[in-house]
Each structure stands twice: as C-alpha cells, then as structure tokens.
Amino acid sequence: MFSTDFEDYCDFNDSICSNDSGIDRSYTDSFVTSAHSTPLKHEITDLGISLTPTKDVRRKLFNDDYDSFQDSVDDIKAFAEDVQTMNTSTPKKEKKPKDPNKPKRKYANGKNRITRCKSPTQLMKIKRNRRMKANDRERNRMHMLNEALDRLRCVLPTFPEDTKLTKIETLRFAHNYIFALSQTLESLDNINSGQPPDFNLTYDKLQSYGEKATKDAFRDIFSVPNKTEGNNDGSYRNFQGFSRPFPNGSNFMQTTEGVLINVGNVTVSVNNKGGNCITSTTGTGFFTHPSSFGEDMTQQTYHYQRYETSTYDESNYEENNGNGAYFNQKNYEIFKNAFDTAAKSRKIEKTEEYNYMKYNNSIYPYTDTNCYNGNTNEYFQNSYYYNDQRCYRNFYNRVPSVVNAQI
DNA sequence: TAGGCCATCTGGTCCT
DNA sequence: AGGACCAGATGGCCTA
C-alpha cells in the first residue's frame, strides 16, 4: 500500500508532517493509488501500512474496522473520493440576508427524522477519517516536541560533539547544567562578597534535590578514565571522573590547572590556562579558546600556571592573565583563598550540616529516612529525593546578583 | 538475545 | 464537534 522507497517516504512524510495537515491528500492519494496499483494486503490483524522508511514495518491501523476493508477495493476508492469531496476548497457562497417572511424549514423528529450520511458504512468512514486526522495531529505534535528537544540539545555542551543525548538524558543534563551554573554563580557571588562559600550545603542541596544518576555506560562514553591524572599533561581529561566529592574529601579541589567545584554529579572547573569546563555524569562541555586544543585535545602543550602570588595584584593582572580573554586571574585568587579557608573547616561543617539537613533542616525537611542509605551516603533512586522539584522554586525566587566572574 | 530507545497508533479526558 | 494532551500498547532498530 505504502511504498518504502526513500523518495516516496519523503513525499509522503512531507505531506503528513507539514504544519497544515496533509492527511487528507496523503491518505486519499494512498488509497486511490492502492486501489489502482498495489493490491491490498488482506489480513485481518494487520494492514501492513508502513509509515516509516524502515524494513518490514508493520503498523496496526484500524484493526477493529478492518473487516469492512474486505468489502471491496471500490469501497476504499469511494471513501477516498469522499474525503476529497469533503475537503475540496470550493469558493464559499456569499450569505444572503435571511428573509423573515420565509417559512422555516420543518425537520422531522424521532423515528421520522431522516439523517444524512448515517449509514454504518458512512459512519465507519467518518470515524476512520477522524482517526487519521488525529493520528496526523499527534505525529506533528510529537515532531514539534522532538524539535524542541533538538534545540535544547544544541545549547547543551556535549563531548564528543556528535554524541546525541537521549531525550531523558537531555532533560537531566539540562537540569544539572543549569543548576551547576547557577550554583557556581551563587558561590562566586558569596566569595566576592567576602563570605565563606557554602559549598558543603550546595552539595547536599543537590543531593536532596536529586538527579537520578545516569547509567554507567553513558558515563563511560563521556568521562574519559583518569589515565592522565598525575601526568601533568595539561589535558582537561584529568578534570573528569569526579562525580562525587573529590578524593581529598572536599567539594573543591585545586589543581595546577585551576580549581574544581563539585556540585553533585556535575563538576565545574575554572581553568587557568584557557577555558572552563563543566563535567557531568551525562556529559562534558568545554568553554575555551579553540586555539588551546589540538585536534584530539590531548596534544596540547601543558603550561604551568604563571600566577603564584597568594594575593591579587592589580598591577600585574594583565600580565598574569596571559591570553587575558579566557582566564580571570582575580577570580582564581579569590577561589584559591576561599579554598584554603574552606578546607580547614569543612570536615566539621560537613558532618554537622549533613546530619542537620538529614533530620532537622526546616528548609529541606526530609524525614523519610527510608529514602536514604546511611551505609553508602546515597539516596535511593526513584525516592522522594530524586523526584523533588523544590530546587526550581529556590532557583526562580533567588535574588538576582551581579557576579564578577568569568565562566 | 534482552533491554533501551524511539516512532507511531490508539483511546480517553479535558477544554473551547 | 474537534483539537490538545496524555499514557498505554506495539513493533522496529540498535547495542552490549
């Protein structure tokens, strides 16, 4: 009935996926064509209609009504002509003003009433036509939804670039991505204002808000093993693989290349030699000067940081900034000092704050310990924690702040 | 081969 | 009545 050739598929798909439904023309043409050329597949359970350019695609369509299809090909042809007739764009007649003196037309009631187009066959045809149009609308609606997801994918960093996130991964990564950026800005704002960073709370917040961890296989695709760690080859890859607090027990880690901030399964790095990076269990994004990387991103020459001073010096800022445009020396110094302070006090804060939030915190009053595994310090998947949406309210209600930082 | 992902069909519900 | 939205069912494709 429907050709599976690619060209035919395109023609067919163009007709049914356009903004204005081409369902009538498409199905009509198909029915007419099938009546004349391709013999119908007379199976009760399956029409054999293929709507996709795949091999041996079998779609059930109107199984319940299919008995009527066996009546005759002429019936189908007549139906197609009916559809054409119903949708023929004939010029509309101008309405004449009603004559008040004209007697009203009398309609029969009850058994005496004669209705038009109400025979079982015609009712079936009308029903089928509605179903086809509904299917067409549903297809278009899903296509629009997929287009929106594609646009979302375009603004999300992925590595490698040609890796396509699945739908659920796109949504989860977008959630993590937005949250990581907002938390980073918030933390930088605290640092700039002289307050100690609230990173411990940030990590616990994210755990409470929850994002279901993606499958390990997907993480393996994006997160290169830390084989370069300790080699000081300057690769960003030794930034990857930290989806939890770093080995030093902190949510921050200072490296020779910059600093890392871990917020749950998202790691944000502020690099001191040419770019910043966001690593998630669902993907990795780089924000850097293209010249900083070789083709395979591993052959770049490593440059130790040139800024060894513990205090920020405005006079040599431009000089220290090197390429200037992609690393903010001032922010680095702020981070560095903040990390030193935070590292000294974080162990006690971590324990106390964790327990407090776990049982008593009024902002995040989670008391259902069934959702929490104390042995692994993790929240069970599909639990209340992983489905909580309150972070969005906090996010939207947060007072906008000006952050003098480059991310 | 099982499982994940996806497109599509389908019927139900709600709204205009 | 018809459209939008939703969720379940189904089957194809791909990969581990």
Side-chain angles (χ1 to χ4, degrees):
Chain A
M1 175 178 284
F2 290 87
S3 169
T4 56
D5 291 339
F6 181 72
E7 291 77 7
D8 294 339
Y9 164 77
C10 290
D11 292 341
F12 173 68
N13 222 27
D14 286 344
S15 65
I16 66 173
C17 297
S18 55
N19 289 333
D20 60 333
S21 171
I23 184 68
D24 297 324
R25 178 168 58 88
S26 301
Y27 279 87
T28 299
D29 291 343
S30 301
F31 281 125
V32 171
T33 301
S34 64
H36 284 289
S37 57
T38 307
L40 281 174
K41 191 176 181 180
H42 284 260
E43 295 176 2
I44 294 179
T45 57
D46 196 335
L47 277 175
I49 295 177
S50 174
L51 297 178
T52 59
T54 54
K55 296 179 180 178
D56 193 28
V57 174
R58 302 186 343 149
R59 303 286 182 194
K60 290 186 177 180
L61 196 61
F62 311 119
N63 288 349
D64 299 336
D65 296 332
Y66 186 68
D67 285 343
S68 60
F69 258 96
Q70 299 185 25
D71 293 343
S72 67
V73 174
D74 291 338
D75 186 25
I76 298 175
K77 182 180 178 181
F79 164 60
E81 292 172 351
D82 288 346
V83 172
Q84 275 188 322
T85 303
M86 284 190 292
N87 294 278
T88 302
S89 57
T90 55
K92 294 181 180 179
K93 297 180 180 179
E94 294 184 1
K95 286 187 176 179
K96 297 180 180 179
K98 291 184 178 179
D99 184 1
N101 298 324
K102 184 178 180 180
K104 291 185 178 179
R105 181 174 179 178
K106 294 181 179 178
Y107 292 94
N109 295 322
K111 294 181 180 179
N112 295 328
R113 177 168 183 169
I114 301 174
T115 57
R116 300 173 60 192
C117 301
K118 296 298 181 182
S119 69
T121 302
Q122 288 170 325
L123 280 175
M124 183 271 294
K125 292 175 182 176
I126 293 173
K127 182 179 178 182
R128 187 188 305 147
N129 186 40
R130 288 174 183 166
R131 187 63 261 171
M132 286 181 181
K133 289 201 286 189
N135 290 346
D136 183 45
R137 287 193 304 272
E138 178 65 11
R139 248 190 328 268
N140 290 334
R141 195 180 69 85
M142 296 308 297
H143 289 170
M144 292 172 62
L145 182 62
N146 290 336
E147 288 176 6
L149 273 171
D150 285 338
R151 287 195 293 271
L152 180 58
R153 286 189 185 98
C154 289
V155 300
L156 291 176
T158 59
F159 177 77
E161 289 184 0
D162 57 351
T163 301
K164 182 180 180 181
L165 300 175
T166 65
K167 291 179 177 179
I168 187 65
E169 285 166 349
T170 299
L171 295 175
R172 285 173 178 161
F173 190 23
H175 171 272
N176 287 348
Y177 183 53
I178 294 171
F179 191 78
L181 291 176
S182 62
Q183 287 296 300
T184 303
L185 291 175
E186 191 173 85
S187 300
L188 290 172
D189 193 26
N190 290 339
I191 292 173
N192 287 338
S193 64
Q195 300 175 359
D198 199 14
F199 289 110
N200 294 324
L201 182 60
T202 297
Y203 176 75
D204 289 337
K205 273 183 182 177
L206 188 66
Q207 290 297 304
S208 298
Y209 300 149
E211 256 310 297
K212 183 181 177 183
T214 54
K215 57 189 179 186
D216 293 339
F218 188 79
R219 178 163 38 193
D220 291 340
I221 295 174
F222 287 99
S223 296
V224 179
N226 298 321
K227 56 185 179 182
T228 61
E229 191 173 12
N231 294 336
N232 286 340
D233 66 348
S235 165
Y236 273 89
R237 297 188 179 195
N238 58 1
F239 277 1
Q240 301 177 13
F242 297 103
S243 60
R244 297 176 180 279
F246 300 117
N248 62 5
S250 171
N251 294 322
F252 322 100
M253 187 170 72
Q254 183 176 354
T255 72
T256 56
E257 303 163 356
V259 293
L260 304 178
I261 309 166
N262 189 299
V263 282
N265 55 353
V266 176
T267 297
V268 179
S269 72
V270 180
N271 192 274
N272 61 0
K273 62 177 188 57
N276 304 314
C277 168
I278 292 181
T279 302
S280 167
T281 56
T282 56
T284 299
F286 298 92
F287 305 88
T288 183
H289 193 287
S291 62
S292 299
F293 296 107
E295 288 186 358
D296 60 357
M297 301 180 67
T298 61
Q299 298 176 357
Q300 55 188 314
T301 303
Y302 178 72
H303 300 286
Y304 282 98
Q305 65 184 51
R306 301 169 56 190
Y307 335 105
E308 299 297 340
T309 58
S310 58
T311 57
Y312 171 63
D313 184 358
E314 186 72 32
S315 62
N316 64 1
Y317 172 69
E318 290 298 329
E319 178 186 352
N320 286 345
N321 219 24
N323 55 23
Y326 295 96
F327 178 71
N328 190 315
Q329 167 72 10
K330 182 178 179 179
N331 288 336
Y332 172 74
E333 297 296 340
I334 293 172
F335 267 114
K336 186 178 179 181
N337 293 334
F339 290 166
D340 292 339
T341 303
K344 293 177 182 176
S345 58
R346 76 161 310 282
K347 282 191 175 181
I348 297 177
E349 291 176 358
K350 174 72 178 178
T351 302
E352 292 177 351
E353 205 169 78
Y354 205 76
N355 291 335
Y356 179 71
M357 287 188 58
K358 181 178 173 183
Y359 298 109
N360 303 311
N361 195 301
S362 60
I363 301 176
Y364 308 102
Y366 298 129
T367 56
D368 183 6
T369 54
N370 292 329
C371 298
Y372 179 78
N373 186 337
N375 296 326
T376 61
N377 282 356
E378 290 177 344
Y379 294 99
F380 297 135
Q381 291 184 2
N382 300 323
S383 70
Y384 177 71
Y385 299 92
Y386 284 102
N387 295 321
D388 193 286
Q389 301 290 315
R390 278 172 285 186
C391 58
Y392 292 112
R393 289 205 298 270
N394 289 340
F395 177 80
Y396 289 128
N397 294 335
R398 206 178 64 217
V399 178
S401 59
V402 178
V403 179
N404 182 22
Q406 176 190 359
I407 295 296

XYZ file of all heavy atoms in Angstrom, chain A residues 1-2 24 26-43 47 49 61-62 65-86 121 124-125 128-129 132:
431
model
N 0.822 -1.199 0.000
C 0.000 0.000 0.000
C 0.863 1.258 0.000
O 0.726 2.143 -0.799
C -0.933 -0.007 1.209
C -1.720 1.274 1.332
S -2.835 1.208 2.708
C -4.081 0.163 2.006
N 1.791 1.338 0.939
C 2.691 2.473 1.003
C 4.076 2.017 0.593
O 4.592 1.043 1.109
C 2.761 3.058 2.413
C 1.499 3.742 2.811
C 0.466 3.019 3.383
C 1.339 5.096 2.601
C -0.694 3.636 3.762
C 0.182 5.712 2.979
C -0.841 4.983 3.566
N -5.359 14.480 4.506
C -6.405 14.116 3.557
C -5.809 13.772 2.204
O -6.125 12.755 1.599
C -7.398 15.268 3.414
C -8.087 15.528 4.735
O -8.344 14.559 5.465
O -8.340 16.696 5.020
N -2.707 12.975 1.579
C -1.817 11.831 1.649
C -2.582 10.526 1.660
O -2.328 9.623 0.887
C -0.941 11.928 2.903
O -0.197 13.104 2.880
N -3.498 10.448 2.578
C -4.222 9.209 2.697
C -5.123 8.980 1.501
O -5.296 7.867 1.046
C -5.039 9.175 3.992
C -4.206 8.797 5.174
C -3.505 9.756 5.885
C -4.089 7.469 5.547
C -2.726 9.390 6.971
C -3.319 7.097 6.626
C -2.635 8.063 7.334
O -1.878 7.705 8.403
N -5.657 10.078 0.994
C -6.501 9.929 -0.170
C -5.707 9.389 -1.337
O -6.089 8.423 -1.990
C -7.108 11.289 -0.544
O -7.877 11.741 0.541
C -7.959 11.149 -1.776
N -4.550 10.034 -1.571
C -3.713 9.590 -2.665
C -3.302 8.139 -2.478
O -3.270 7.353 -3.412
C -2.471 10.471 -2.758
C -2.827 11.868 -3.215
O -3.947 12.040 -3.745
O -2.007 12.766 -3.035
N -3.009 7.826 -1.234
C -2.563 6.469 -0.974
C -3.665 5.472 -1.244
O -3.434 4.419 -1.815
C -2.093 6.357 0.484
O -1.046 7.274 0.715
N -4.835 5.827 -0.825
C -5.939 4.907 -1.052
C -6.244 4.771 -2.528
O -6.480 3.682 -3.029
C -7.184 5.380 -0.304
C -7.145 5.038 1.147
C -7.290 6.019 2.106
C -6.940 3.731 1.550
C -7.268 5.698 3.442
C -6.914 3.389 2.895
C -7.073 4.389 3.853
N -6.228 5.908 -3.191
C -6.514 5.847 -4.606
C -5.452 5.035 -5.320
O -5.738 4.170 -6.141
C -6.585 7.280 -5.193
C -6.667 7.222 -6.706
C -7.777 8.010 -4.606
N -4.207 5.305 -4.964
C -3.124 4.578 -5.585
C -3.235 3.085 -5.313
O -3.074 2.260 -6.193
C -1.779 5.106 -5.056
O -1.713 6.489 -5.354
C -0.627 4.382 -5.716
N -3.525 2.797 -4.061
C -3.575 1.386 -3.721
C -4.712 0.690 -4.442
O -4.604 -0.470 -4.796
C -3.751 1.230 -2.205
O -5.001 1.784 -1.827
N -5.763 1.428 -4.665
C -6.900 0.814 -5.339
C -6.571 0.498 -6.785
O -7.113 -0.446 -7.348
C -8.105 1.762 -5.272
N -5.684 1.284 -7.337
C -5.382 1.098 -8.749
C -4.181 0.212 -8.988
O -4.126 -0.491 -9.966
C -5.122 2.459 -9.408
C -6.392 3.214 -9.643
N -7.303 2.861 -10.585
C -6.900 4.296 -9.009
C -8.338 3.706 -10.568
N -8.099 4.587 -9.606
N -3.221 0.287 -8.131
C -1.977 -0.412 -8.427
C -1.659 -1.495 -7.415
O -1.810 -2.672 -7.686
C -0.826 0.601 -8.476
O -0.761 1.311 -7.241
N -1.234 -1.050 -6.227
C -0.770 -2.022 -5.259
C -1.939 -2.769 -4.646
O -2.853 -2.155 -4.112
C 0.015 -1.318 -4.142
O 1.035 -0.531 -4.743
C 0.629 -2.323 -3.201
N -1.912 -4.069 -4.739
C -3.011 -4.827 -4.131
C -2.982 -4.707 -2.624
O -1.922 -4.688 -2.013
C -2.740 -6.261 -4.583
C -1.315 -6.288 -4.971
C -0.954 -4.920 -5.409
N -4.147 -4.626 -2.056
C -4.242 -4.512 -0.614
C -3.836 -5.814 0.038
O -4.040 -6.897 -0.489
C -5.679 -4.170 -0.203
C -6.077 -2.729 -0.373
C -7.563 -2.602 -0.071
C -5.270 -1.843 0.548
N -3.258 -5.647 1.211
C -2.876 -6.813 1.979
C -4.067 -7.237 2.814
O -4.410 -6.598 3.797
C -1.697 -6.453 2.874
C -1.029 -7.635 3.532
C 0.174 -7.140 4.306
C 0.889 -8.301 4.964
N 2.064 -7.822 5.713
N -4.708 -8.262 2.406
C -5.958 -8.652 3.055
C -5.680 -9.548 4.244
O -5.837 -10.745 4.209
C -6.873 -9.356 2.049
C -7.513 -8.396 1.108
N -8.789 -7.949 1.264
C -7.024 -7.757 0.026
C -9.097 -7.097 0.292
N -8.024 -6.973 -0.473
N -5.236 -8.892 5.312
C -5.078 -9.607 6.559
C -5.924 -8.903 7.599
O -5.976 -7.691 7.670
C -3.617 -9.619 7.009
C -2.721 -10.387 6.049
C -1.275 -10.300 6.482
O -1.013 -9.673 7.537
O -0.430 -10.839 5.776
N -2.816 -4.359 8.564
C -2.963 -3.785 7.241
C -1.655 -3.759 6.503
O -1.619 -3.601 5.298
C -3.504 -2.352 7.359
C -5.005 -2.240 7.515
C -5.375 -0.800 7.752
C -5.694 -2.783 6.290
N 0.460 -1.369 6.726
C 0.743 0.012 6.336
C 2.042 0.452 6.965
O 2.233 0.339 8.167
C -0.400 0.933 6.767
C -1.665 0.566 6.012
C -0.043 2.375 6.523
C -2.854 1.393 6.439
N -3.407 -0.616 12.170
C -4.239 0.531 11.867
C -5.660 0.066 11.695
O -5.962 -0.713 10.814
C -3.726 1.207 10.589
C -4.211 2.599 10.306
C -3.779 3.530 11.433
C -3.640 3.083 8.983
N -6.491 0.511 12.575
C -7.910 0.203 12.499
C -8.173 -1.286 12.457
O -8.861 -1.797 11.595
C -8.538 0.855 11.263
C -8.200 2.293 11.122
C -7.524 2.740 10.018
C -8.541 3.189 12.128
C -7.205 4.070 9.888
C -8.228 4.508 11.995
C -7.555 4.975 10.882
N -11.816 -2.132 12.650
C -12.639 -1.800 11.494
C -12.205 -2.537 10.241
O -12.759 -2.321 9.176
C -12.567 -0.291 11.224
C -13.153 0.491 12.375
O -14.041 -0.061 13.051
O -12.697 1.599 12.598
N -11.244 -3.361 10.371
C -10.663 -3.871 9.147
C -11.577 -4.817 8.399
O -11.436 -5.003 7.200
C -9.351 -4.583 9.463
C -8.643 -4.995 8.213
C -8.105 -4.040 7.372
C -8.555 -6.338 7.864
C -7.479 -4.413 6.213
C -7.928 -6.711 6.705
C -7.388 -5.742 5.885
O -6.769 -6.111 4.730
N -12.502 -5.401 9.085
C -13.428 -6.293 8.387
C -14.077 -5.591 7.215
O -14.274 -6.177 6.148
C -14.493 -6.793 9.360
C -13.898 -7.836 10.281
O -12.827 -8.367 9.945
O -14.513 -8.093 11.315
N -14.407 -4.343 7.450
C -15.069 -3.609 6.382
C -14.148 -3.398 5.192
O -14.607 -3.162 4.079
C -15.544 -2.250 6.897
O -14.447 -1.497 7.353
N -12.845 -3.462 5.450
C -11.923 -3.273 4.349
C -11.998 -4.409 3.341
O -11.584 -4.254 2.200
C -10.488 -3.188 4.884
C -9.990 -1.785 4.940
C -10.069 -1.056 6.109
C -9.447 -1.189 3.823
C -9.614 0.234 6.167
C -8.992 0.098 3.873
C -9.080 0.817 5.051
N -12.487 -5.514 3.789
C -12.543 -6.649 2.895
C -13.738 -6.573 1.952
O -13.889 -7.410 1.095
C -12.619 -7.942 3.713
C -11.394 -8.109 4.613
C -11.413 -9.436 5.321
O -12.030 -10.378 4.838
N -10.732 -9.518 6.437
N -14.561 -5.587 2.172
C -15.738 -5.481 1.317
C -15.321 -5.419 -0.134
O -15.672 -6.241 -0.945
C -16.550 -4.246 1.694
C -17.163 -4.395 3.066
O -17.236 -5.536 3.563
O -17.549 -3.363 3.638
N -14.563 -4.405 -0.437
C -14.083 -4.303 -1.807
C -13.122 -3.142 -1.909
O -13.119 -2.232 -1.085
C -15.235 -4.075 -2.775
O -15.798 -2.798 -2.548
N -12.281 -3.209 -2.878
C -11.378 -2.095 -3.137
C -12.172 -0.879 -3.581
O -11.797 0.266 -3.293
C -10.352 -2.487 -4.212
C -9.489 -1.304 -4.606
C -9.470 -3.617 -3.712
N -13.269 -1.121 -4.257
C -14.094 0.001 -4.716
C -14.616 0.815 -3.540
O -14.745 2.030 -3.624
C -15.267 -0.526 -5.554
C -14.779 -1.081 -6.866
O -13.677 -0.704 -7.308
O -15.504 -1.920 -7.444
N -14.881 0.101 -2.456
C -15.368 0.826 -1.282
C -14.309 1.785 -0.779
O -14.595 2.920 -0.413
C -15.730 -0.185 -0.190
C -16.384 0.509 0.992
O -16.963 1.588 0.774
O -16.309 -0.026 2.102
N -13.070 1.320 -0.762
C -11.981 2.181 -0.309
C -11.811 3.354 -1.264
O -11.598 4.495 -0.850
C -10.675 1.368 -0.215
C -10.857 0.255 0.815
C -9.502 2.257 0.109
C -9.677 -0.681 0.895
N -11.911 3.058 -2.530
C -11.773 4.123 -3.515
C -12.881 5.149 -3.330
O -12.645 6.362 -3.401
C -11.830 3.523 -4.912
C -11.639 4.562 -6.013
C -11.694 3.912 -7.383
C -11.562 4.959 -8.484
N -11.637 4.327 -9.817
N -14.063 4.645 -3.072
C -15.171 5.569 -2.856
C -14.931 6.422 -1.619
O -15.221 7.620 -1.601
C -16.476 4.776 -2.700
N -14.351 5.779 -0.610
C -14.048 6.529 0.594
C -13.050 7.635 0.315
O -13.182 8.768 0.779
C -13.497 5.584 1.655
C -12.797 6.300 2.773
C -13.476 7.216 3.554
C -11.465 6.056 3.023
C -12.827 7.874 4.571
C -10.815 6.700 4.052
C -11.497 7.618 4.827
N -12.040 7.288 -0.473
C -11.050 8.291 -0.815
C -11.682 9.455 -1.557
O -11.354 10.617 -1.313
C -9.948 7.656 -1.668
N -12.601 9.130 -2.434
C -13.276 10.202 -3.165
C -14.139 11.035 -2.235
O -14.249 12.248 -2.395
C -14.111 9.590 -4.283
C -13.261 8.961 -5.383
C -14.118 8.194 -6.380
O -15.322 8.021 -6.120
O -13.564 7.774 -7.409
N -14.719 10.359 -1.247
C -15.497 11.104 -0.266
C -14.632 12.104 0.478
O -15.009 13.244 0.701
C -16.143 10.134 0.736
C -17.273 9.352 0.106
O -17.699 9.756 -0.995
O -17.706 8.360 0.704
N -13.460 11.622 0.867
C -12.559 12.509 1.601
C -12.190 13.698 0.745
O -12.151 14.836 1.199
C -11.299 11.736 2.041
C -10.267 12.679 2.637
C -11.681 10.664 3.039
N -11.900 13.413 -0.517
C -11.558 14.501 -1.417
C -12.714 15.476 -1.535
O -12.533 16.686 -1.516
C -11.194 13.944 -2.790
C -9.738 13.512 -2.882
C -9.366 13.155 -4.294
O -10.165 12.560 -5.012
N -8.169 13.522 -4.700
N -13.876 14.939 -1.645
C -15.047 15.794 -1.790
C -15.244 16.652 -0.554
O -15.529 17.835 -0.643
C -16.298 14.936 -2.024
O -16.081 14.132 -3.165
C -17.518 15.814 -2.208
N -15.023 16.031 0.607
C -15.244 16.769 1.846
C -14.278 17.916 2.002
O -14.569 18.901 2.650
C -15.103 15.818 3.054
C -16.296 14.924 3.245
S -16.221 14.048 4.795
C -14.855 12.969 4.511
N -21.766 2.112 7.141
C -20.543 2.252 6.356
C -20.024 3.676 6.383
O -18.828 3.929 6.552
C -20.802 1.835 4.902
O -21.283 0.493 4.885
C -19.546 1.934 4.077
N -18.595 4.568 9.704
C -17.263 3.994 9.826
C -16.246 4.836 9.099
O -15.137 5.066 9.590
C -17.275 2.563 9.269
C -15.970 1.820 9.410
S -14.868 2.084 8.011
C -15.798 1.303 6.712
N -16.640 5.326 7.937
C -15.715 6.155 7.161
C -15.403 7.467 7.885
O -14.258 7.917 7.929
C -16.310 6.445 5.790
C -16.412 5.221 4.898
C -17.130 5.567 3.619
C -17.296 4.344 2.734
N -18.085 4.644 1.513
N -13.174 6.729 10.739
C -11.817 6.445 10.288
C -11.094 7.724 9.881
O -9.907 7.903 10.178
C -11.859 5.469 9.118
C -10.493 4.989 8.679
C -10.609 4.202 7.403
N -11.546 3.101 7.522
C -12.304 2.660 6.523
N -12.246 3.251 5.357
N -13.113 1.637 6.708
N -11.823 8.590 9.219
C -11.207 9.855 8.800
C -10.794 10.685 10.008
O -9.713 11.277 10.028
C -12.189 10.636 7.938
C -11.552 11.893 7.357
O -10.388 11.855 6.943
N -12.296 12.977 7.332
N -7.634 9.203 11.428
C -6.456 9.535 10.620
C -5.978 10.948 10.914
O -4.782 11.199 11.057
C -6.786 9.387 9.127
C -6.903 7.956 8.643
S -7.264 7.937 6.882
C -7.390 6.193 6.583
